[in-house]
């Protein structure tokens, strides 16, 4: 992923108001290893139910506001993130909804999906077993996972941008 500035991030959002963008807290951008990410995802430090995803799409940054469900999955069950496809304990996966862009979102239309609660899919896809005769090359495995993650994120974004 190419680095982003605070102003690029704030200008990238497609499904939220200028008021919500102004209130948004950003992560420490100086701490991010951009080349090891398919997207920048974070939870708002001041609004626990809000999350954000920003990534490069067609040579421009696109941001999506997410809202986390108020309830958690029952302990003892497992779940899978729909973006990175990592199986995790249910408490580490959250149902997020994203308001649709434009008038549809203003009218209350949303798209929902299960995503890693901390929005760190880019880090999870990089955890690989050591290379062996039974396992593919770790770099090839990460590249394949990254391609799938990017494809699923683009599909989710298409649904958010669709007029509904």
């Amino acid at each position: 992923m190419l680095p982003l500035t605070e102003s690029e991030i704030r200008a990238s959002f497609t499904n939220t108001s200028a008021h919500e963008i102004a209130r948004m807290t950003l992560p420490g951008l100086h701490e991010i290893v951009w080349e090891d990410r398919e997207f920048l995802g974070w939870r708002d430090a001041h609004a626990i139910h809000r999350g954000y995803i920003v990534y490069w799409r067609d040579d421009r940054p696109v941001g999506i506001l997410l809202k986390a469900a108020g309830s958690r999955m029952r302990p003892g069950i497992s779940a899978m993130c729909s973006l990175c496809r990592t199986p995790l304990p249910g408490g580490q996966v959250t149902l997020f909804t994203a308001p649709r862009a434009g008038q549809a979102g203003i009218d209350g239309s949303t798209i929902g999906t299960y995503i890693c609660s901390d929005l760190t899919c880019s880090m999870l896809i990089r955890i690989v077993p050591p290379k062996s005769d039974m396992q593919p090359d770790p770099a090839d495995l990460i590249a394949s996972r990254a391609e799938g993650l990017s494809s699923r994120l683009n599909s989710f974004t298409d649904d958010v941008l669709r007029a509904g």
Side-chain angles (χ1 to χ4, degrees):
M1 178 174 181
L2 298 172
L4 291 163
T5 65
E6 178 179 345
S7 59
E8 288 172 322
I9 291 170
R10 290 187 188 278
S12 72
F13 281 85
T14 60
N15 67 335
T16 190
S17 68
H19 175 70
E20 284 187 314
I21 292 169
R23 293 184 349 184
M24 170 176 55
T25 59
L26 293 171
L29 299 179
H30 63 282
E31 299 171 352
I32 296 170
V33 182
W34 295 97
E35 59 271 10
D36 286 346
R37 294 179 173 268
E38 287 63 45
F39 68 85
L40 174 61
W42 75 99
R43 297 288 292 265
D44 196 309
H46 298 149
I48 60 170
H49 292 296
R50 279 194 308 219
Y52 309 94
I53 290 177
V54 179
Y55 73 108
W56 288 93
R57 178 180 163 114
D58 300 329
D59 298 325
R60 69 179 186 94
V62 174
I64 299 172
L65 166 73
L66 302 168
K67 296 182 180 179
S71 61
R72 294 185 153 277
M73 289 188 196
R74 218 178 56 233
I77 63 169
S78 59
M80 183 179 294
C81 172
S82 65
L83 295 182
C84 66
R85 299 260 171 100
T86 302
L88 296 164
Q92 294 178 23
V93 176
T94 299
L95 174 63
F96 283 97
T97 58
R100 287 190 189 267
Q103 188 61 45
I106 293 168
D107 292 342
S109 181
T110 62
I111 299 296
T113 193
Y114 288 92
I115 305 174
C116 294
S117 297
D118 57 6
L119 302 171
T120 58
C121 300
S122 288
M123 289 181 233
L124 289 177
I125 66 168
R126 285 170 170 75
I127 299 171
V128 296
K131 186 177 178 181
S132 71
D133 292 339
M134 299 298 289
Q135 293 290 338
D137 179 53
D140 292 342
L141 184 56
I142 291 171
S144 174
R145 288 176 178 177
E147 184 179 325
L149 170 60
S150 295
S151 174
R152 290 182 289 276
L153 181 55
N154 274 318
S155 180
F156 179 69
T157 302
D158 288 344
D159 286 343
V160 170
L161 297 176
R162 195 170 297 121

